[in-house]
Amino acid sequence: MSTPPIVIIAEPDPIISSILRVEFTRLDFAVLLAASGPEAEAYASQTVAHLVVLDTKLHLGAYDACARIRRRAGYTGRPIVLTATEPSPKVKAAAEKASATVVLPKPYSVDDLFNAIRPFVPADDLLLTHSARVGGVNAPRAWAPAAPLAWGADGNSALARNGQLLPIVRGKGVVIPLIRKPNFGG
């Protein structure tokens, strides 16, 4: 039994990050959402992800995070994708200096992301051979549990008892300021 591929996504836009989380989860990937470059680095220090996606508009440095993640053990050959609204020559030069695998223009789909990294990932890599990615919805799962799932007397599911339950990891997200209407009459 193998574990699902891990993806770290650092995207400041809550809508885009939610869409990516849903799409990768639908494909049976484990998703770690980060709200900043340092948070993505913290995730990268705890596990070697199969894919890292960083938006260049992160408030706390996507380029620096990319360079530091690339220097970590296990990330030498892993794809690190920087996304940008306008991938200008300046953005591409900064991404190359940070050792990013590729710069992907926004908006993009998960298929666009896989098409962009495919030339840089070995054909037998789990990122590309994961059964849900290859066969779609009807493909057999690569990490299906051996026994049927059932709730135990202690209230824990079979996934929790067998150590197969993946934690839901959420970043801090974006705080939307509360806009108050002015009180003109008192």
Side-chain angles (χ1 to χ4, degrees), residues 63 84-94 103:
Y63 300 107
T85 307
E86 296 180 29
S88 66
K90 182 178 175 182
V91 168
K92 290 179 182 178
V103 177

Side-chain angles (χ1 to χ4, degrees), residues 51-154:
L51 172 65
V52 178
V53 181
L54 304 167
D55 189 273
T56 57
K57 295 292 183 191
L58 287 173
H59 298 293
L60 298 172
Y63 300 107
D64 293 336
C66 176
R68 285 192 286 269
I69 291 171
R70 178 64 74 202
R71 288 192 297 265
R72 291 193 148 291
Y75 282 96
T76 304
R78 297 282 54 172
I80 301 176
V81 177
L82 291 177
T83 61
T85 307
E86 296 180 29
S88 66
K90 182 178 175 182
V91 168
K92 290 179 182 178
E96 185 176 332
K97 184 177 178 184
S99 300
T101 306
V102 68
V103 177
L104 189 63
K106 291 171 94 173
Y108 62 92
S109 68
V110 172
D111 285 335
D112 294 336
L113 183 62
F114 277 105
N115 289 335
I117 64 170
R118 187 168 280 116
F120 306 100
V121 178
D124 62 344
D125 191 281
L126 183 61
L127 188 63
L128 300 178
T129 62
H130 183 57
S131 67
R133 176 76 194 135
V134 172
V137 176
N138 295 325
R141 298 195 187 281
W143 54 285
L149 303 177
W151 289 93
D154 57 358

Side-chain angles (χ1 to χ4, degrees), residues 2-10 17 20-34 43 47-53 75 113-114 126-127 130 132-133 141-143 164-170:
S2 64
T3 58
I6 299 169
V7 179
I8 297 173
I9 300 172
S17 66
L20 290 172
R21 180 188 54 79
V22 167
E23 285 299 307
F24 275 111
T25 302
R26 185 180 62 79
L27 295 171
D28 288 333
F29 283 73
V31 180
L32 302 173
L33 291 179
Y43 290 146
T47 186
V48 177
H50 294 81
L51 172 65
V52 178
V53 181
Y75 282 96
L113 183 62
F114 277 105
L126 183 61
L127 188 63
H130 183 57
R133 176 76 194 135
R141 298 195 187 281
W143 54 285
Q164 297 172 345
L165 187 62
L166 295 173
I168 296 173
V169 181
R170 293 186 176 98

